[in-house]
Amino acid sequence: MSRIEKPADSEPARNPSRAGKPTLKTIAEMTGLAITTVSRALGNAPQISENTRRRVHEVAAEIGYLPDRAAQRLKTGRTNVISVLLDPHEEILGFGTSIMHGLARALQTTPYHLIVTPNFLDGSNVDAVNYIIRNGMADGLIFSRTEPFDPRVRLLLENGFPFVTHGRTEFSTPHAFVDYDNYAFAYEATKRLIVKGRRKVTIILPPKRLTFHQHMLHGFMTAVREAGIAYEIPDTLDLDSPADMIRDYVRRRSGEPDPPDGFACPGEVSALATITGMSDQGLTLGAEYDIVAKQTSLLLSQIQPKVETIYEDLKAAGEAMGQLLLQRIAGEPVEDLTILQSPQFGFPTP
Amino acid sequence: MSRIEKPADSEPARNPSRAGKPTLKTIAEMTGLAITTVSRALGNAPQISENTRRRVHEVAAEIGYLPDRAAQRLKTGRTNVISVLLDPHEEILGFGTSIMHGLARALQTTPYHLIVTPNFLDGSNVDAVNYIIRNGMADGLIFSRTEPFDPRVRLLLENGFPFVTHGRTEFSTPHAFVDYDNYAFAYEATKRLIVKGRRKVTIILPPKRLTFHQHMLHGFMTAVREAGIAYEIPDTLDLDSPADMIRDYVRRRSGEPDPPDGFACPGEVSALATITGMSDQGLTLGAEYDIVAKQTSLLLSQIQPKVETIYEDLKAAGEAMGQLLLQRIAGEPVEDLTILQSPQFGFPTP
DNA sequence: CGCCGCACGGAAAACGTTTTAAATTCTGTG
DNA sequence: CACAGAATTTAAAACGTTTTCCGTGCGGCG
């Protein structure tokens, strides 16, 4: 029954911004326990009796206690933060936002917060990665648009920093990733064009430096060879090209001899641009030509149902990445932490 | 020349995750100064001589010192965090991402980080706001899609918590906001349709509960009344309606008697949906009907240049919101912290 | 010489948590 | 009834800052 010595009760007003915010000390005083015990009880440590554990939890819930993240972070060195590297190319069509919603859902029941680190520089955002590793700004990293030997991945691997990419690499050291099976997409899309009776197919590929350029090319070429059909691949264009450039290219090409009449479009914008370019030439979708597009939002199918689409569920990808990252942070072996999303041929479930 | 008493040098290995990270102590030892002095020198406190101030800065730069955010936050109660409330409706067309890029640019040279708090619930995200206020998760808040008496705004005002909205409210207490002049947009768009010789105009408005519904309606009606032209306003539809619903509505309506032939579309998706619906009826843009649309990305003008557009620069809005929020956090009076972006009639500068 | 004021710098406490090491109580046994 | 050992609980130190309150040293003034 030791009484507290401090005369106290002067109440030095503390930091006004968080006045009255309950802390472990508050609970300790209310229950008559020591701060240590309260901390342990809340952490469900084994050496606390079931009785006090329950009592502490009750009081904590009652006064709405929430641990101070700053103090936890300072003490433990863990930030409880997941950082997303946002690429300028993801601005269009909610790519970034879909992934983030998925991520946020995965982190919803965890103590993790999502912070976004945008990339302002031109090149890859390896500087941002370096900054985050060096200064312990996060416990894990998420990013997309990987290159075969992505310098960000190299850096993270070297430092043993947890991360999950959207897209694969070709490093011999494995790492966690979620990727869409773009081989299957391109193969399937091309085959569908062929089945529709198209004479000559084409595809707008992602920039050459990105890993999935190869995957798509491979899927496309496999379908082409199997069918022995004519094809062409524009080499002045890629998926990052501005829509008007794609539109103009399509328009010009379709006025020249022997134009393609089957388009595999791995992006909604490129599909829309193609439609416009073709209709500028008086050609109509479904009649003179066909498009099979990758769809990442509801936009395309709702606006232009005559475009056939194959869905990529980015929100699901985000959620998966979040889960993998949590496992990765928990130290699970990397081998099991890879997911290849299959193209979904049905309609997405919203 | 007091020597340190501690036998020390046992080096208890510390937290492995941040081993070797330089702290104030590191600099103190290197310069022979006290931790206090180093802290002051880096904070450019007045009572430090120019000489030591410079020396400390040099050493800090040399070893790449960065203050520990957790410790700062714990000590000062400031989080150095700005939180963005992300609404599910912003998923499409990079709304969220544009705003965030703008914000990030505004915060680039400050100690502030951007964290995104997505809204999972159906209603407004007032719970998230409450959580953030109660637990001091951020120093300031950014969100959009305000209602005239937005409960989030009310809550924040009551608590004196710094925030900037995208969109106005009708509270008598003023607050910081950035808004687009949607009155001017609707007025101008409608007038352009009239100038083109359209007989009957229509507009797809945002949901009634949002403040800018009224603004747009007002602009539209003003132009209509000035010209004494026929008009109609669909009441089963709003800007949040799925694109296929808009498309189907437009298609059906244009098959009925006395259809509108001038469309003001305050969203790119609704413009695309309108085009599709009309062309399903064999009607062509620029001939039988016209559209003036609000454009928030390069998408529309690049894909379909025949749509006339009025630009809203969301990235600039984000940047402005960031700046306002910083000023608001610094305690500047709210009266000066309101910005009304004028519609830009030229082409956006990327 | 004594004292004040000033410029500069430092010691120590605090923020709220986790963790280490130790103290206290409880149990059963000899 | 004492005591080993388990079962609980606790005190205190740390994490890296900021901040409050003091100590120097020094020049000048009476």
Side-chain angles (χ1 to χ4, degrees), chain A residues 4-264:
Chain A
I4 295 172
E5 312 292 302
K6 293 276 179 59
D9 287 317
S10 60
E11 281 305 321
R14 295 152 174 274
N15 189 321
S17 72
R18 48 184 168 185
K21 199 187 169 229
T23 73
L24 287 183
K25 194 165 152 201
T26 320
I27 303 182
E29 279 161 2
M30 291 178 70
T31 55
L33 294 166
I35 294 182
T36 312
T37 312
V38 176
S39 172
R40 288 226 179 81
L42 289 174
N44 295 324
Q47 69 255 51
I48 298 296
S49 77
E50 179 54 25
N51 234 325
T52 65
R53 201 191 70 80
R54 216 188 32 255
R55 192 153 55 98
V56 168
H57 270 97
E58 277 170 17
V59 174
E62 191 183 328
I63 65 178
Y65 167 79
L66 270 177
D68 184 297
R69 294 175 66 84
Q72 283 183 313
R73 178 167 165 179
L74 175 59
K75 187 61 189 138
T76 64
R78 271 175 288 109
T79 63
N80 282 355
V81 158
I82 303 292
S83 183
V84 180
L85 262 41
L86 204 54
D87 193 280
H89 285 287
E90 291 162 352
E91 269 196 28
I92 283 293
L93 278 176
F95 182 98
T97 347
S98 300
I99 290 256
M100 285 202 297
H101 265 89
L103 270 172
R105 189 189 293 174
L107 303 181
Q108 202 174 184
T109 58
T110 75
Y112 286 94
H113 281 186
L114 200 54
I115 109 163
V116 16
T117 309
N119 171 221
F120 292 107
L121 305 333
D122 326 285
S124 91
N125 31 28
V126 55
D127 303 354
V129 172
N130 204 27
Y131 175 84
I132 289 170
I133 297 179
R134 291 277 87 78
N135 303 297
M137 298 312 312
D139 297 341
L141 222 47
I142 299 270
F143 56 95
S144 64
R145 293 174 61 90
T146 52
E147 303 174 12
F149 296 97
D150 199 299
R152 301 166 296 182
V153 172
R154 186 196 309 281
L155 193 54
L156 289 160
L157 283 175
E158 280 173 2
N159 289 81
F161 197 94
F163 68 100
V164 179
T165 61
H166 189 239
R168 282 163 280 178
T169 64
E170 287 175 8
F171 287 104
S172 55
T173 315
H175 62 83
F177 69 82
V178 171
D179 201 1
Y180 182 76
D181 189 345
N182 284 300
Y183 170 90
F185 164 80
Y187 179 79
E188 174 71 19
T190 311
K191 252 179 73 172
R192 285 205 213 172
L193 292 170
I194 295 167
V195 166
K196 283 172 184 288
R198 291 301 154 199
R199 310 176 343 269
K200 182 172 188 180
V201 292
T202 188
I203 187 170
I204 301 174
L205 291 169
K208 287 209 180 57
R209 28 166 250 291
L210 302 182
T211 313
F212 76 120
H213 170 96
Q214 284 299 326
H215 299 156
M216 282 215 177
L217 179 58
H218 187 199
F220 177 73
M221 289 309 297
T222 304
V224 162
R225 295 236 167 81
E226 280 180 11
I229 198 177
Y231 73 95
E232 69 180 42
I233 297 177
D235 60 353
T236 55
L237 267 191
D238 62 43
L239 274 180
D240 287 354
S241 306
D244 52 353
M245 215 172 123
I246 298 179
R247 181 198 64 206
D248 293 347
Y249 174 88
V250 169
R251 178 167 47 207
R252 185 174 50 68
R253 183 66 191 91
S254 67
E256 293 169 358
D258 192 27
D261 62 351
F263 296 82

Side-chain angles (χ1 to χ4, degrees), chain B residues 11-13 17 31 46 53-54 62 77 81 87 90 123-124 126 161 217 222 226 228 234 271 284 299 328 338 344:
Chain B
E11 281 306 320
S17 72
T31 57
R53 201 191 69 80
R54 215 187 35 255
E62 190 183 329
V81 158
D87 194 280
E90 292 163 351
S124 90
V126 55
F161 196 94
L217 179 57
T222 304
E226 280 179 11
T284 59
L299 180 61
R328 181 66 193 73
T338 64
Q344 291 168 25

Side-chain angles (χ1 to χ4, degrees), chain B residues 170-206:
Chain B
E170 291 174 5
F171 287 104
S172 55
T173 315
H175 63 84
F177 68 82
V178 171
D179 201 2
Y180 181 75
D181 190 344
N182 284 299
Y183 169 90
F185 164 81
Y187 179 79
E188 174 72 19
T190 312
K191 252 179 71 172
R192 285 205 212 173
L193 292 170
I194 295 168
V195 166
K196 283 172 184 287
R198 291 301 155 201
R199 310 175 343 269
K200 182 171 189 180
V201 291
T202 189
I203 187 169
I204 301 174
L205 290 169

Side-chain angles (χ1 to χ4, degrees), chain B residues 26-234:
Chain B
T26 320
I27 303 182
E29 280 161 2
M30 290 178 69
T31 57
L33 294 165
I35 293 182
T36 314
T37 312
V38 176
S39 171
R40 285 215 184 90
L42 289 174
N44 295 324
Q47 71 252 55
I48 298 297
S49 78
E50 179 54 26
N51 235 325
T52 64
R53 201 191 69 80
R54 215 187 35 255
R55 193 154 54 99
V56 168
H57 270 97
E58 278 170 16
V59 175
E62 190 183 329
I63 65 177
Y65 168 79
L66 270 175
D68 184 299
R69 295 176 66 86
Q72 284 183 311
R73 177 167 167 180
L74 175 59
K75 186 64 190 133
T76 64
R78 271 176 288 108
T79 63
N80 284 353
V81 158
I82 303 292
S83 183
V84 181
L85 263 41
L86 203 56
D87 194 280
H89 285 288
E90 292 163 351
E91 269 197 27
I92 282 294
L93 278 174
F95 182 98
T97 344
S98 299
I99 290 253
M100 284 201 299
H101 265 90
L103 271 171
R105 189 190 294 176
L107 302 180
Q108 202 175 184
T109 58
T110 75
Y112 286 94
H113 280 186
L114 200 55
I115 110 164
V116 15
T117 310
N119 172 221
F120 292 107
L121 306 333
D122 327 284
S124 90
N125 31 26
V126 55
D127 302 354
V129 172
N130 205 28
Y131 175 83
I132 289 170
I133 297 180
R134 291 277 88 77
N135 303 297
M137 298 311 314
D139 297 341
L141 222 47
I142 299 271
F143 56 95
S144 64
R145 294 173 60 90
T146 52
E147 304 174 12
F149 295 98
D150 198 299
R152 301 166 296 181
V153 172
R154 185 195 309 281
L155 193 53
L156 289 161
L157 283 174
E158 280 171 0
N159 289 82
F161 196 94
F163 68 100
V164 179
T165 62
H166 189 239
R168 281 163 281 179
T169 65
E170 291 174 5
F171 287 104
S172 55
T173 315
H175 63 84
F177 68 82
V178 171
D179 201 2
Y180 181 75
D181 190 344
N182 284 299
Y183 169 90
F185 164 81
Y187 179 79
E188 174 72 19
T190 312
K191 252 179 71 172
R192 285 205 212 173
L193 292 170
I194 295 168
V195 166
K196 283 172 184 287
R198 291 301 155 201
R199 310 175 343 269
K200 182 171 189 180
V201 291
T202 189
I203 187 169
I204 301 174
L205 290 169
K208 286 209 179 59
R209 31 166 249 290
L210 302 182
T211 313
F212 77 120
H213 171 94
Q214 282 304 323
H215 299 157
M216 283 215 176
L217 179 57
H218 186 201
F220 176 74
M221 289 309 297
T222 304
V224 162
R225 294 215 178 95
E226 280 179 11
I229 198 179
Y231 73 96
E232 69 179 41
I233 296 177

Side-chain angles (χ1 to χ4, degrees), chain A residues 303-316:
Chain A
I303 283 179
Q304 188 45 275
K306 275 179 283 184
V307 179
E308 234 185 275
T309 60
I310 296 174
Y311 188 58
E312 172 173 1
D313 190 341
L314 288 174
K315 196 186 281 194

Side-chain angles (χ1 to χ4, degrees), chain B residues 161-328:
Chain B
F161 196 94
F163 68 100
V164 179
T165 62
H166 189 239
R168 281 163 281 179
T169 65
E170 291 174 5
F171 287 104
S172 55
T173 315
H175 63 84
F177 68 82
V178 171
D179 201 2
Y180 181 75
D181 190 344
N182 284 299
Y183 169 90
F185 164 81
Y187 179 79
E188 174 72 19
T190 312
K191 252 179 71 172
R192 285 205 212 173
L193 292 170
I194 295 168
V195 166
K196 283 172 184 287
R198 291 301 155 201
R199 310 175 343 269
K200 182 171 189 180
V201 291
T202 189
I203 187 169
I204 301 174
L205 290 169
K208 286 209 179 59
R209 31 166 249 290
L210 302 182
T211 313
F212 77 120
H213 171 94
Q214 282 304 323
H215 299 157
M216 283 215 176
L217 179 57
H218 186 201
F220 176 74
M221 289 309 297
T222 304
V224 162
R225 294 215 178 95
E226 280 179 11
I229 198 179
Y231 73 96
E232 69 179 41
I233 296 177
D235 60 353
T236 56
L237 219 51
D238 62 42
L239 274 180
D240 287 355
S241 306
D244 51 353
M245 215 171 123
I246 299 179
R247 181 198 64 206
D248 293 348
Y249 174 89
V250 169
R251 178 167 47 206
R252 186 175 48 69
R253 182 68 191 86
S254 67
E256 294 168 357
D258 192 27
D261 62 350
F263 295 83
C265 292
E268 296 178 88
V269 175
S270 59
L272 289 171
T274 304
I275 296 174
T276 311
M278 294 299 272
S279 80
D280 285 352
Q281 287 280 1
L283 301 165
T284 59
L285 179 59
E288 288 100 335
Y289 73 104
D290 277 302
I291 294 182
V292 178
K294 190 199 277 186
Q295 186 182 8
T296 54
S297 75
L298 294 181
L299 180 61
L300 198 51
S301 66
Q302 289 183 340
I303 282 179
Q304 187 45 276
K306 276 179 281 185
V307 179
E308 236 185 273
T309 60
I310 297 174
Y311 188 58
E312 172 173 2
D313 190 340
L314 288 174
K315 195 186 282 195
E319 193 167 356
M321 293 175 82
Q323 281 157 359
L324 291 191
L325 187 52
L326 291 177
Q327 297 177 45
R328 181 66 193 73

